[in-house]
Amino acid sequence: MFATTKLHMRLEHQHKLIGELSSDDITGEVMIGRSREAKLVIPSEDRAASSKHAVLKKKMGSILIVDAGSRNGLFFAGERITERKLCPGDCIKIGECELIVSSGAPQKAGKGQIAAAAHGSHRLECLTGVMKGDFINLERQTVRVGSDPDSELPLSDSLISRRHAELTLDEKGECWVNDLKSANGTFVNRIPLSGKKRMLKDGDIVSFAFMDFRFLDKAVKHTRSYFWVKIASVGATLVAGAIFYFAYLVGTSSAPDLIKLAKGYAGQERFSEARTFLESAQNARQFEQYRLERDALMDQLNTWEKTSNDWNSVKKNIKAKEWAAAVRMLGSMQYDRMENWNWNELTAIKCKNQAAKVKEYLDAFLKIQASLKNAEQSVDTLRGMQQELAKVIEQMETTPEELYTPLLEASRKVLETLTSNLTNLDGMNSALAQLEQLYPNFKLIVAELSDVEQKSTGTVKVMAGRYLIPIRKMQALQDQLLRNATALAALKFEQIVPVVDLPTVDECAINPYINSQRKNIENIDKNFQVASQQIQLLLSVFKKSNIEIFKTPRLIQLFSEEEMWGDVFGCDVLKRKIPKRNRVEPEGVYDRVLGIEYFYELLRALPEKYDDSALESMAFHPECVQIRTLFRQFVDFSNFVTLPQNKWLLRGEIQKMHLYCQEQVANREKIITSLFEGGGAEPLSRRSLIGRALAIHLAPDGRFSREVCEKVADDFKKFRLPLVLLNNEYDSATPERGIQLRTQIMAKGIPGDPIVRRMWATLQE
């Protein structure tokens, strides 16, 4: 016999422990409320609780809870109460808090008494799922719980983590449960562990995700009803339990709690129960705050249930070999939308992936099956389908799932038929494959297809005859293209004739090779026209610039001579009167070659490229702009004729022009190298800065790295700093010193610099 069992009471707010006491701690009245005078103080953020909400007191050996005139009352099992005798398992709602009552450790047996034990070890009784009614003996010191098959308690449920929880026995023989950071949590009496270990007491309900177990203490004798009595009463018990459970949840849970429960049941595909929780949430606390979330989940729940039902229909159709019906159902159910499948992270996602694979396999199978009935299917397409179907079969074989078995058997039969047909078409396929070439030998292709047409019958003979019609036309057009190429290479533009009488699109659509070759001929003809225009444009640029073809242009010769650079680097323009900004003609060699304002802005923009849009407002373009444009023409021409599709142009006069352009591009490199090296000038000298900046300006993209450009920009800042200091001194200098300062600035500065322009302007005064 055991003595009277103690009661243990825990006050929790949002599943966090606020305070606890046992029945032995209650001598008078114990106040519960938000007031600091209360022994169990409710957090201030719980606005639903009153300052003095309830009291606990003893009466005839029992513990009572009494409403102390609170604003929102006490609730038990969904009903408002004013007073209740507390019993183990009670959960009293106090505002947003819960007072959870459990039995304390049993008292030791009196002297001379023997404690009855029902079993030699602690046990778990499974209350839900396929294991319902089973008993698990907790005989080991540590029992790991999870979906991992190596666990001491393996649970095959999609919501159970591989390492979900752990049950351990301490030195006193007490059983403790600890959550191992599982995805869906571990609960004791519906309260999450939240990272804390919990000692189990007899009758505690332990939940791993949504699988429920009752803990049976080995020190307590448990009486079980007879088997046939259980069978007779199980229906009534389940109904009553469900009614009480739902009533309890509705009465005591808030809207977010019910929404969370609904998500959990949805994760087990128990959609009707999840819907019941969502409907109940409309009458729960905080509903208005969570209305949108609840409505959204209800819509999603309907979608999930439809997806689940549709997927089951798909599987039935596949088993019955109703392929078209399965494809139609997959198409209507929007199987590829993730939001239709995310009711849980394991089985639902696996089903989604299966649906995608089934759709992929079915599409391939039905497409290839239909192709066998199409007497005019292209050889290349059939070959691709053979490879595609073989790959699909291989994938199904490497994923041995019963779902794929009917489709796998049907696919193998189709593959056998397809392979047999392709053997008879290999000769035609070999001939048509030659059309992939840029310049195929049409004469040979026509001969091979004609041979196939003569030797074949039925479908192959019809296909060969249809293919020969557009190919013979292409053979004639290829001859015309060759004549155009000869005329263009000789620069006889008047002899270039546009291609006409191309096979129609419909004629070529019967085969991808033929269709591709038709586009190829069209592109070659367009290239002829573009090449002709490009070459004529270059010739017109040469003529406009008074350039004799195959002779080095005057501008390039000028930039290659040392004499001109003496005036440029010496900034000869500074020896003249300061020019007007809107001048029509350049002043001096420096201005003619670089442009006073243009080049300074270009230098100042480094390491970035200067925006040439400023040229639109200039009356003349400096020669550095003109020669850069000329170099681009040479480069564009060379790049154009050396494109893979234009290599046929490199002969005759065009080949000579290409070599001429390459020669001018080489001249550009010489000019750039000479300018950048600057004859060994000091990096911070005017000559070095002008030369390097101009070299970067004339160079193609990528010729100079970002680091090089940044170095020139940095040198320019260092170069200009002494000029700034001289300019600052000039403002307060004596006339004699002012003349000295001006002379120094003019001798070192670069035209276009505001400081230089200021000194320059004083020379006019």
Side-chain angles (χ1 to χ4, degrees):
M1 296 285 300
F2 284 171
T4 304
T5 301
K6 296 180 183 179
L7 292 183
H8 182 78
M9 289 150 282
R10 301 191 315 277
L11 182 65
E12 296 186 358
H13 178 255
Q14 296 181 356
H15 306 306
K16 293 182 180 179
L17 182 64
I18 302 302
E20 57 185 338
L21 46 76
S22 69
S23 53
D24 290 344
D25 298 328
I26 302 176
T27 55
E29 290 188 348
V30 174
M31 178 63 68
I32 304 175
R34 291 170 58 199
S35 172
R36 294 185 179 180
E37 299 175 1
K39 186 167 185 179
L40 293 178
V41 180
I42 295 175
S44 59
E45 57 264 29
D46 185 352
R47 298 297 181 183
S50 300
S51 297
K52 296 181 180 180
H53 202 108
V55 293
L56 296 172
K57 59 184 180 180
K58 279 186 177 179
K59 184 177 181 181
M60 299 179 66
S62 300
I63 303 299
L64 302 181
I65 186 169
V66 181
D67 191 328
S70 64
R71 181 174 67 255
N72 294 311
L74 302 175
F75 286 85
F76 174 75
E79 296 182 0
R80 186 162 182 166
I81 61 174
T82 57
E83 181 179 314
R84 175 174 173 79
K85 173 185 174 182
L86 296 181
C87 301
D90 282 358
C91 181
I92 311 298
K93 295 290 288 187
I94 305 174
E96 295 178 0
C97 295
E98 294 177 337
L99 183 69
I100 301 167
V101 184
S102 60
S103 59
Q107 297 178 357
K108 295 181 180 179
K111 186 176 180 180
Q113 293 178 323
I114 300 175
H119 203 271
S121 64
H122 299 307
R123 291 184 295 168
L124 290 180
E125 179 186 3
C126 187
L127 304 178
T128 58
V130 296
M131 297 172 60
K132 183 175 181 180
D134 291 349
F135 290 87
I136 297 94
N137 295 330
L138 305 179
E139 298 174 337
R140 298 190 179 209
Q141 197 71 21
T142 300
V143 175
R144 292 172 299 169
V145 181
S147 58
D148 190 335
D150 293 334
S151 301
E152 284 75 18
L153 178 51
L155 301 177
S156 57
D157 188 278
S158 61
L159 298 180
I160 300 296
S161 301
R162 286 184 63 81
R163 296 181 70 254
H164 196 104
E166 189 175 69
L167 296 161
T168 57
L169 298 179
D170 63 13
E171 297 176 352
K172 298 179 180 179
E174 301 290 356
C175 185
W176 295 74
V177 63
N178 181 31
D179 184 74
L180 300 179
K181 298 182 179 179
S182 62
N184 294 299
T186 302
F187 306 79
V188 176
N189 299 325
R190 307 299 176 190
I191 299 171
L193 293 184
S194 302
K196 297 180 180 179
K197 295 180 70 172
R198 168 74 181 270
M199 188 179 78
L200 297 177
K201 298 179 181 179
D202 186 63
D204 280 350
I205 303 300
V206 184
S207 303
F208 306 110
F210 291 91
M211 293 189 69
D212 298 338
F213 295 81
R214 178 183 288 109
F215 176 73
L216 303 176
D217 194 302
K218 68 180 180 179
V220 178
K221 185 175 182 179
H222 302 98
T223 303
R224 292 287 181 260
S225 300
Y226 294 104
F227 175 78
W228 294 109
V229 176
K230 283 188 175 182
I231 294 298
S233 62
V234 67
T237 302
L238 288 175
V239 172
I243 293 172
F244 173 78
Y245 181 60
F246 280 109
Y248 168 75
L249 289 175
V250 172
T252 62
S253 299
S254 62
D257 292 335
L258 294 172
I259 291 171
K260 183 177 180 180
L261 286 168
K263 289 179 180 177
Y265 278 98
Q268 302 178 70
E269 294 188 56
R270 295 162 68 177
F271 299 115
S272 60
E273 288 145 293
R275 188 177 288 104
T276 300
F277 280 116
L278 290 182
E279 290 170 353
S280 301
Q282 298 180 91
N283 301 316
R285 290 179 292 104
Q286 298 179 279
F287 170 66
E288 289 301 326
Q289 183 180 352
Y290 288 87
R291 176 191 291 273
L292 294 178
E293 182 179 350
R294 177 266 178 197
D295 293 346
L297 183 57
M298 180 66 84
D299 292 340
Q300 202 167 26
L301 195 65
N302 296 333
T303 301
W304 289 340
E305 187 170 27
K306 182 180 184 304
T307 300
S308 178
N309 293 337
D310 288 349
W311 175 235
N312 289 330
S313 297
V314 169
K315 290 189 287 187
K316 289 179 181 178
N317 288 330
I318 292 175
K319 186 175 183 180
K321 299 184 179 181
E322 298 290 341
W323 317 122
V327 169
R328 284 195 300 271
M329 179 61 71
L330 282 167
S332 65
M333 69 185 288
Q334 296 180 312
Y335 70 92
D336 56 340
R337 297 185 63 179
M338 184 64 191
E339 60 269 26
N340 293 357
W341 297 87
N342 57 357
W343 59 80
N344 70 40
E345 298 179 356
L346 296 174
T347 56
I349 304 305
K350 180 181 178 182
C351 290
K352 176 189 179 300
N353 295 335
Q354 278 188 333
K357 282 295 181 184
V358 165
K359 182 65 164 60
E360 178 186 343
Y361 298 157
L362 277 173
D363 284 346
F365 169 75
L366 292 176
K367 178 179 66 175
I368 295 168
Q369 186 183 55
S371 73
L372 294 177
K373 301 176 183 179
N374 184 358
E376 299 181 358
Q377 190 65 260
S378 74
V379 176
D380 184 61
T381 302
L382 289 175
R383 183 72 66 189
M385 289 180 176
Q386 181 194 36
Q387 296 173 355
E388 182 181 355
L389 186 56
K391 185 177 180 180
V392 168
I393 291 174
E394 181 182 0
Q395 290 175 347
M396 285 193 284
E397 289 175 339
T398 55
T399 311
E401 294 191 28
E402 184 179 353
L403 174 64
Y404 301 145
T405 301
L407 183 59
L408 178 60
E409 294 173 353
S411 297
R412 286 171 176 161
K413 292 180 180 179
V414 170
L415 182 61
E416 291 177 5
T417 304
L418 182 58
T419 303
S420 176
N421 288 342
L422 283 171
T423 301
N424 301 326
L425 294 174
D426 280 342
M428 185 183 299
N429 183 59
S430 177
L432 292 172
Q434 298 176 54
L435 293 173
E436 283 190 310
Q437 303 171 15
L438 189 62
Y439 303 105
N441 187 335
F442 280 104
K443 184 177 180 179
L444 178 61
I445 294 173
V446 168
E448 291 179 358
L449 288 179
S450 298
D451 187 58
V452 171
E453 185 182 26
Q454 290 176 2
K455 294 180 180 179
S456 303
T457 59
T459 299
V460 177
K461 184 179 184 68
V462 172
M463 292 175 66
R466 293 186 63 189
Y467 293 155
L468 278 168
I469 295 173
I471 291 175
R472 285 190 172 118
K473 290 183 180 180
M474 291 180 185
Q475 182 181 15
L477 291 173
Q478 189 181 60
D479 295 338
Q480 177 62 54
L481 292 174
L482 291 174
R483 289 192 293 271
N484 283 348
T486 302
L488 184 58
L491 300 181
K492 296 180 179 180
F493 304 108
E494 70 281 357
Q495 295 181 8
I496 299 175
V497 179
V499 165
V500 294
D501 295 331
L502 262 173
T504 65
V505 174
D506 290 340
E507 286 177 323
C508 298
I510 59 175
N511 181 270
Y513 289 131
I514 297 175
N515 191 47
S516 177
Q517 188 57 226
R518 182 187 186 280
K519 294 178 181 177
N520 182 44
I521 291 176
E522 275 189 317
N523 290 334
I524 291 175
D525 183 50
K526 289 178 181 178
N527 284 340
F528 273 128
Q529 308 307 320
V530 172
S532 175
Q533 293 172 5
Q534 288 286 340
I535 294 169
Q536 291 183 71
L537 176 62
L538 181 60
L539 292 176
S540 67
V541 170
F542 290 165
K543 184 176 181 181
K544 186 177 180 180
S545 303
N546 296 319
I547 295 173
E548 294 184 42
I549 299 178
F550 307 126
K551 289 187 178 181
T552 303
R554 181 197 65 81
L555 205 53
I556 295 178
Q557 291 178 352
L558 194 62
F559 269 64
S560 302
E561 296 174 357
E562 289 293 332
E563 297 178 4
M564 180 188 74
W565 295 113
D567 291 333
V568 173
F569 294 141
C571 299
D572 67 318
V573 70
L574 294 177
K575 299 174 183 177
R576 298 167 175 256
K577 291 183 178 181
I578 185 170
K580 296 180 180 179
R581 293 185 182 275
N582 61 348
R583 60 192 179 283
V584 177
E585 296 293 334
E587 289 287 343
V589 177
Y590 181 94
D591 196 22
R592 186 194 79 218
V593 175
L594 303 180
I596 296 172
E597 295 80 11
Y598 176 81
F599 186 75
Y600 183 76
E601 291 301 319
L602 181 149
L603 181 60
R604 195 166 67 89
L606 287 173
E608 308 298 333
K609 287 186 177 181
Y610 178 54
D611 184 5
D612 278 354
S613 60
L615 291 170
E616 297 176 4
S617 61
M618 294 178 63
F620 71 92
H621 291 178
E623 290 177 348
C624 66
V625 174
Q626 299 175 33
I627 195 171
R628 185 180 61 172
T629 302
L630 188 60
F631 281 137
R632 283 177 179 171
Q633 290 289 343
F634 292 136
V635 171
D636 289 345
F637 177 80
S638 291
N639 289 342
F640 178 77
V641 297
T642 54
L643 288 172
Q645 65 268 28
N646 292 337
K647 287 185 177 180
W648 52 268
L649 289 170
L650 292 175
R651 56 180 178 162
E653 296 299 311
I654 294 180
Q655 173 70 0
K656 293 178 183 179
M657 291 186 66
H658 169 60
L659 295 175
Y660 168 70
C661 291
Q662 289 292 90
E663 181 183 351
Q664 306 316 312
V665 172
N667 287 334
R668 176 183 67 175
E669 182 59 29
K670 292 178 183 178
I671 293 170
I672 290 171
T673 302
S674 176
L675 287 170
F676 194 82
E677 293 177 353
E682 290 294 329
L684 299 184
S685 67
R686 183 164 63 184
R687 174 188 176 87
S688 175
L689 282 172
I690 293 174
R692 285 186 290 165
L694 182 56
I696 293 171
H697 175 66
L698 297 179
D701 291 341
R703 171 64 172 78
F704 292 105
S705 66
R706 174 77 178 187
E707 290 75 12
V708 170
C709 297
E710 289 176 347
K711 179 63 170 62
V712 175
D714 187 55
D715 286 348
F716 174 60
K717 293 177 182 177
K718 294 177 181 177
F719 165 82
R720 195 169 180 272
L721 182 59
L723 300 181
V724 173
L725 296 176
L726 292 174
N727 182 62
N728 293 340
E729 185 182 350
Y730 181 84
D731 292 333
S732 59
T734 63
E736 293 78 8
R737 178 58 179 161
I739 293 173
Q740 293 176 354
L741 294 171
R742 179 179 64 192
T743 302
Q744 292 180 43
I745 291 173
M746 294 291 286
K748 295 181 179 180
I750 296 176
D753 188 332
I755 294 175
V756 175
R757 194 170 188 88
R758 178 189 181 192
M759 300 297 114
W760 199 355
T762 62
L763 293 175
Q764 314 294 327
E765 297 174 357

